[in-house]
Amino acid sequence: MVTLLPHLSPQLITLRDRLRAGQQRLADWQGGPLAVSAVPGSGKSTGMAVAAAIAIARFQLHPRRQLVLVTFTRSAATNLKAKVRQYLKELGLPQNSFYVSTLHGLALNVASHSPERSGLNLDTLTLVSPSQGSRLIRASVEQWIAADPKRYQRLIEGAQFDGEEAERLRRQSVLRTEILPALAHTVIHEAKSSGLHPSNLAEMAANMPQALPEGVEDYEVLAIAAGLHERYQPLLAQRNWIDYDDMVLAALRTLEAEDSRRFWQNRVFAVFEDEAQDSSPLQAQLLEILARDPDHPDQPPN
């Protein structure tokens, strides 16, 4: 976009010229939504880092009005932060005008700033580890089996079961250790990251079409999923643990209050997100809220 070049200093033009045409779309950003599609290894992080440095210079950002860069992993955040710092150093600009984080790290920062609103107090709550999470999933499975033995029995017997005890034991083992934990893990994450409660899943299950094609067995998987989800969250709360999805939900609760929302929106000039296609609906909602102008909330976010 050559028409934008007169708005850049010679230093910024030199920095922009290091990029390929696709990357230069990022460097030429001047506000509003922008999406750039790129395959792995195409230089997304470099393009984003250069674009960040140019935006910081162009809009004269500072510690109280920062550019936020969001990445998927901690290692990617570290790499991106180093690149932006290097470009800012080349431009002779201060290093405190941007903030780089994983999405969950950003959510945790927002939520922990107002624990009374978010319900997330790091003095009393702990992030559940992968191994702890797996144990909770298995406990949820066992509680569901005890509470809903008829559905569990239907899963064991299936459409073709000859009644052999060895086969029954094999199916029980596979269900308890593989199939039901995998279902619980997937459903709990997808439901929480979409803002769905167990009651929502139960309602969806109740409204599912009753007639299935001939030869297709109805195992009521959605109802089972709702039951597994229903048992997971109390187990998490009993131990004063939170998971990654809880961080996003807590941040959104914080931003429901107008004063908190304005506080964060005034601090965030714009949001650059890497790997945006991997964001859940609630993660995308969080970033869109933060990127909006508090004085013009109806305008598209930056």
Side-chain angles (χ1 to χ4, degrees):
M1 300 172 66
V2 177
T3 55
L4 299 182
L5 293 182
H7 299 282
L8 302 181
S9 69
Q11 275 185 303
L12 296 182
I13 293 175
T14 299
L15 184 58
R16 177 189 182 275
D17 286 344
R18 297 183 193 176
L19 303 176
R20 296 190 297 272
Q23 294 171 309
Q24 288 177 352
R25 289 185 61 202
L26 291 168
D28 293 337
W29 175 82
Q30 292 194 87
L34 172 66
V36 176
S37 178
V39 299
S42 59
K44 294 190 299 295
S45 62
T46 296
M48 184 183 291
V50 170
I54 290 176
I56 288 167
R58 173 184 274 148
F59 297 103
Q60 299 180 352
L61 301 184
H62 48 78
R64 296 181 303 281
R65 188 71 166 155
Q66 293 182 313
L67 179 66
V68 172
L69 296 95
V70 177
T71 66
F72 196 69
T73 65
R74 291 181 181 178
S75 59
T78 300
N79 179 52
L80 182 58
K81 186 175 184 179
K83 287 184 176 182
V84 176
R85 281 182 167 175
Q86 178 59 38
Y87 295 134
L88 291 177
K89 183 177 179 181
E90 292 178 18
L91 296 171
L93 295 174
Q95 308 274 317
N96 54 4
S97 49
F98 73 104
Y99 172 81
V100 183
S101 174
T102 63
L103 198 149
H104 292 109
L106 174 62
L108 182 62
N109 191 18
V110 172
S112 60
H113 190 267
S114 302
E116 70 286 352
R117 286 175 172 157
S118 67
L120 194 158
N121 189 333
L122 295 182
D123 293 333
T124 59
L125 295 173
T126 304
L127 177 63
V128 64
S129 69
S131 61
Q132 290 168 333
S134 296
R135 289 197 294 273
L136 282 188
I137 291 289
R138 291 196 296 271
S140 302
V141 168
E142 295 303 321
Q143 285 193 4
W144 174 81
I145 290 172
D148 204 343
K150 289 184 178 180
R151 281 200 175 98
Y152 177 59
Q153 193 63 32
R154 289 190 62 199
L155 290 177
I156 292 174
E157 294 177 357
Q160 298 176 342
F161 179 56
D162 56 14
E164 288 290 331
E165 185 62 20
E167 176 62 11
R168 179 186 297 276
L169 292 174
R170 187 192 71 81
R171 292 188 178 197
Q172 286 180 340
S173 176
V174 172
L175 281 169
R176 280 185 136 102
T177 63
E178 298 178 28
I179 295 176
L180 289 174
L183 175 63
H185 182 272
T186 299
V187 166
I188 290 166
H189 168 66
E190 293 298 330
K192 291 179 73 171
S193 64
S194 299
L196 296 176
H197 298 282
S199 59
N200 301 131
L201 295 183
E203 183 179 354
M204 292 167 62
N207 294 327
M208 288 285 288
Q210 298 301 312
L212 292 174
E214 185 178 352
V216 176
E217 186 75 13
D218 182 10
Y219 293 110
E220 301 177 303
V221 173
L222 196 52
I224 295 170
L228 293 168
H229 184 12
E230 183 180 13
R231 283 152 183 83
Y232 170 81
Q233 201 64 30
L235 290 173
L236 197 69
Q238 287 168 12
R239 293 158 175 78
N240 290 326
W241 291 345
I242 57 169
D243 58 23
Y244 285 106
D245 295 312
D246 288 325
M247 293 180 184
V248 178
L249 291 168
L252 288 171
R253 284 196 298 271
T254 298
L255 297 175
E256 288 175 358
E258 183 178 358
D259 59 337
S260 289
R261 189 167 59 251
R262 289 186 67 89
F263 170 80
W264 287 102
Q265 289 174 338
N266 281 322
R267 290 188 62 180
V268 176
F269 171 73
V271 176
F272 286 6
E273 182 185 12
D274 190 20
E275 307 291 356
Q277 75 281 354
D278 293 328
S279 292
S280 70
L282 291 188
Q283 290 170 351
Q285 181 183 342
L286 171 62
L287 297 184
E288 287 177 5
I289 292 172
L290 292 174
R292 288 190 182 277
D293 184 338
D295 297 319
H296 301 90
D298 295 330
Q299 292 183 359
N302 282 329

